[in-house]
Amino acid sequence: MEWGHRVLGRLIGVVFVGPLAYFAIRKKIPKSMTLRLSGLALLIGAQGALGWYMVKSGLEDSLMETPGAVPRVSQYRLASHLGMAFLLYLGMFGTGMAVIKDFKFAKGAPWSGAAEGGSRRFFLGSGWIVFLTALSGAFVAGLDAGLLYNEFPLMGGRLAPPADELFAPEYAKNADKSDKWWRNIFENPTTVQFNHRVLATTTYFATAALYARTFSPAMSAALPPLTRMATMAAFAMANVQVHWA
């Protein structure tokens, strides 16, 4: 799996950078698009470097010398690697959609602007919640936090674990325990799983509200059919996540 992931990452870099260099040298694409695509190419390289940095955190000599030890990468680096992957995908997707939009407009299709005002903020806010939920999932994976509680929506028969378990003082490293709060949020498996559950639940209701909003007459008239279909697909996938959680 790890080998396939590395090969696929390198293949993406070659497939992206090779054609970009060819078309840029031959001046087949506008300068603004060349700069935008070059930024994405640099981001691909940074993603590879960050992946190596992440893997390096799990290759300590002490782990190699301890029988039965299982390497564990840093949850901070894992979340950073995943977050950059999402940003890279967002940049590629946005660039591709912009090119398609310009092409259709050049062929005579009407220009469709972005959603205005509250609708735009609602869409962006929902997207950021999904992004934060995904990042919190990386912390769950990095700490094996999913092994602690395997029931939902309760955790050990309660909606939330006890406060002394969520903010345990033993995770603090400073003598005055001043780092207890943030270290528990990012390093305590119980707190990490609880945060992920809260964010995931928030994501579900935000996606449901977004989908319900498309049924209002004003929103239905303003949104293109593909956007309404995408909103419905997002809500459907949220339900799939709940089913398989």
Side-chain angles (χ1 to χ4, degrees), residues 139-159:
F139 281 90
V140 172
L143 293 170
D144 282 336
L147 301 178
L148 293 178
Y149 294 97
N150 57 4
E151 55 182 333
F152 184 85
L154 302 180
M155 298 180 70
R158 307 172 51 154
L159 285 176

Side-chain angles (χ1 to χ4, degrees), residues 110-167:
W111 181 264
S112 58
E116 298 295 336
S119 300
R120 180 179 176 83
R121 289 192 295 270
F122 200 89
F123 276 98
L124 290 176
S126 300
W128 278 112
I129 293 174
V130 172
F131 180 69
L132 289 176
T133 303
L135 288 187
S136 72
F139 281 90
V140 172
L143 293 170
D144 282 336
L147 301 178
L148 293 178
Y149 294 97
N150 57 4
E151 55 182 333
F152 184 85
L154 302 180
M155 298 180 70
R158 307 172 51 154
L159 285 176
D164 58 349
E165 186 178 346
L166 286 173
F167 295 100

Side-chain angles (χ1 to χ4, degrees), residues 8-210:
L8 183 59
R10 292 164 182 166
L11 181 62
I12 291 174
V14 171
V15 170
F16 188 90
V17 175
L20 171 60
Y22 173 81
F23 288 113
I25 292 174
R26 296 179 63 87
K27 300 186 184 301
K28 296 294 184 178
I29 50 179
K31 183 178 180 180
S32 59
M33 182 58 67
T34 300
L35 292 175
R36 184 171 182 174
L37 294 176
S38 297
L40 291 174
L42 290 175
L43 197 57
I44 291 175
Q47 175 72 333
L50 183 56
W52 170 84
Y53 183 61
M54 177 194 69
V55 172
K56 184 175 180 292
S57 67
L59 299 179
E60 298 179 1
D61 293 337
S62 58
L63 290 173
M64 301 299 141
E65 298 170 357
T66 304
V70 179
R72 288 284 183 266
V73 300
S74 165
Q75 70 272 25
Y76 295 104
R77 301 183 192 184
L78 177 61
S80 300
H81 191 51
L82 178 65
M84 184 175 288
F86 274 109
L87 293 177
L88 180 60
Y89 176 80
L90 181 63
M92 289 184 171
F93 184 80
T95 301
M97 292 301 294
V99 171
I100 293 174
K101 187 177 180 180
D102 289 344
F103 176 78
K104 289 184 175 180
F105 181 68
K107 293 295 184 178
W111 181 264
S112 58
E116 298 295 336
S119 300
R120 180 179 176 83
R121 289 192 295 270
F122 200 89
F123 276 98
L124 290 176
S126 300
W128 278 112
I129 293 174
V130 172
F131 180 69
L132 289 176
T133 303
L135 288 187
S136 72
F139 281 90
V140 172
L143 293 170
D144 282 336
L147 301 178
L148 293 178
Y149 294 97
N150 57 4
E151 55 182 333
F152 184 85
L154 302 180
M155 298 180 70
R158 307 172 51 154
L159 285 176
D164 58 349
E165 186 178 346
L166 286 173
F167 295 100
E170 55 264 26
Y171 285 94
K173 295 184 179 180
N174 294 341
D176 59 356
K177 306 295 183 181
S178 59
D179 58 342
K180 180 180 74 172
W181 295 95
W182 74 263
R183 285 197 181 276
N184 272 278
I185 290 174
F186 296 111
E187 298 178 5
N188 183 343
T190 299
T191 312
V192 166
Q193 188 190 129
F194 177 72
N195 291 339
H196 183 62
R197 287 175 177 233
V198 172
L199 284 169
T201 303
T202 305
T203 297
Y204 180 82
F205 284 112
T207 306
L210 186 64

